[in-house]
Amino acid sequence: MVERLTLTKPDDWHLHVRDGELLRRVVPDSARRFARAMIMPNLSPPIITTELARQYRNRILAAVPEDLRFQPLMTLFLTEETAPSEIVKAKVSGFVHAIKWYPSGATTNSESGVRQISRCYPVLQAMEEQGFPLLVHAETTAPDIDVFDREAVFIDRQLAPVIQRFPGLRVVVEHVTTRNGVQFVQDASPMVGATITAHHLILNRNALFDGGLRPHHYCRPVLKRESHRLALVEAATSGHPRFFLGTDSAPHPRRDKESACGCAGIYTAHAAIELYAEVFEQADALDRLEPFASFHGADFYGLPRNIEQITLLKKTWQVAESFAVDEDAVVPLRAGESVAWQLATGR
Ligand code: DOR
Ligand code: ZN
């Protein structure tokens, strides 16, 4: 049995760190485990310009503990008003690495997202020309579509036509959650990849109703049935180079989660790589964790692989019930329960 696992320091290709006190509390959790993270732009108001991304990046860097190096890779929030010239600015900046397409209303702070993607075609064309990746929240917001079918329908009706129209555009299906999504990425060109979260690898939709309503297991895309979870585990542990780690760690204050209309988002940054290690161990694929967590994403984005390493120990530890922030608290995944792997060194 493997008791100790040393791997190239991984990257988190999909992360929410919020702002203010919450940002200062959560960034160290990610910086201990990851060398870089693709930072989601869905603040309120969203990060829609390179200048806003520059300021946000500085706030994130100020929250990185002195003994750690952590590179926030910034993204811009796509709106129907985004100008192609903003893409050129973003590319030239060197610190903005992608644009995020949120269908309007699909998730937290996405109201100013895209209603009709054809209005963004000039921007997508500029991105294709500039070699600038498009990150996609792949869920339709059509109210007549069952919430569990929203990913599959979005891929068919919206994403596939865009990929066909812009074959040179690099596209990431963020937090893929279904067998259909996995299949779509496998069948697509080398320009199309996908991130997979720890929570979608660990939980199926039963976790939403386990003994009662579980708001801390609510996220978007919503958890799916077991057959889809198994397809995700298979994809993540397969060694396929276009599937890579993206936690979608998304902290919300407890009052916003335990509410009559609770927010989507699961906080996993406190134990992110450890949770993936559990999944890979259970699938008897621990040797595939490093490529998934540390190589595939960097290679897909054309960025250098990291040199630093981290070590994980097969050692059970207890997750706190919650942590205090902003006169409230955040309840992390596995609160009050145990995780089977522990981070030994964060450097
Ligand atoms: O569960 C989610 N939370 N999914 C998202 O797409 C957004 C995120 C958030 O920002 O809270
Ligand atoms: Zn997200």
Side-chain angles (χ1 to χ4, degrees), residues 57-97:
R57 178 171 178 271
N58 287 340
R59 299 199 292 280
I60 297 167
L61 286 173
V64 177
E66 263 176 26
D67 60 332
L68 295 171
R69 281 189 300 277
F70 177 71
Q71 233 184 303
L73 309 175
M74 308 310 292
T75 62
L76 299 187
F77 185 106
L78 180 64
T79 75
E80 291 177 3
E81 283 73 48
T82 303
S85 59
E86 193 62 49
I87 302 307
V88 179
K89 256 190 230 167
K91 176 80 182 178
V92 169
S93 78
F95 55 78
V96 180
H97 290 265

Side-chain angles (χ1 to χ4, degrees), residues 7-13 33-34 36 236 243-246 273 276 280 288-298 306 310:
L7 56 154
T8 303
K9 198 167 184 186
D11 299 307
D12 184 348
W13 296 103
R33 292 164 177 82
F34 299 101
R36 298 172 288 202
F243 293 100
F244 37 89
L245 186 158
I273 189 65
Y276 284 100
F280 278 67
R288 301 254 166 99
L289 180 61
E290 185 181 44
F292 173 78
S294 315
F295 299 157
H296 293 169
N306 299 314
I310 58 165

Side-chain angles (χ1 to χ4, degrees), residues 78-249:
L78 180 64
T79 75
E80 291 177 3
E81 283 73 48
T82 303
S85 59
E86 193 62 49
I87 302 307
V88 179
K89 256 190 230 167
K91 176 80 182 178
V92 169
S93 78
F95 55 78
V96 180
H97 290 265
I99 306 289
K100 179 77 186 275
W101 169 12
Y102 286 103
S104 173
T107 187
T108 307
N109 296 337
S110 63
E111 293 70 28
S112 48
V114 177
R115 279 169 220 284
Q116 212 182 312
I117 191 63
S118 58
R119 299 210 178 106
C120 302
Y121 282 172
V123 170
L124 298 186
Q125 195 181 328
M127 291 171 64
E128 189 181 35
E129 286 163 12
Q130 297 284 327
F132 216 58
L134 178 70
L135 314 185
V136 187
H137 184 109
E139 277 194 299
T140 182
T141 53
D144 58 323
I145 303 299
D146 188 279
V147 71
F148 294 101
D149 298 333
R150 288 183 179 186
E151 182 174 285
V153 170
F154 182 91
I155 288 173
D156 277 358
R157 293 189 190 168
Q158 308 235 41
L159 187 56
V162 163
I163 288 173
Q164 211 172 7
R165 193 178 183 102
F166 301 98
L169 183 62
R170 196 171 290 282
V171 171
V172 181
V173 179
E174 294 296 334
H175 40 53
V176 66
T177 62
T178 58
R179 184 173 290 280
N180 323 51
V182 164
Q183 190 68 49
F184 178 79
V185 172
Q186 283 168 343
D187 294 345
S189 85
M191 299 302 280
V192 181
T195 53
I196 305 181
T197 77
H199 49 274
H200 289 104
L201 288 171
I202 291 169
L203 304 172
N204 65 34
R205 64 192 191 180
N206 287 349
L208 284 164
F209 309 107
D210 187 11
L213 190 60
R214 300 286 187 162
H216 297 290
H217 288 159
Y218 174 57
C219 60
R220 296 309 292 261
V222 72
L223 297 171
K224 301 299 192 298
R225 65 165 67 239
E226 178 66 2
S227 57
H228 292 298
R229 188 190 72 82
L230 292 173
L232 298 182
V233 172
E234 210 180 300
T237 60
S238 68
H240 189 298
R242 284 185 282 114
F243 293 100
F244 37 89
L245 186 158
T247 63
D248 198 14
S249 177

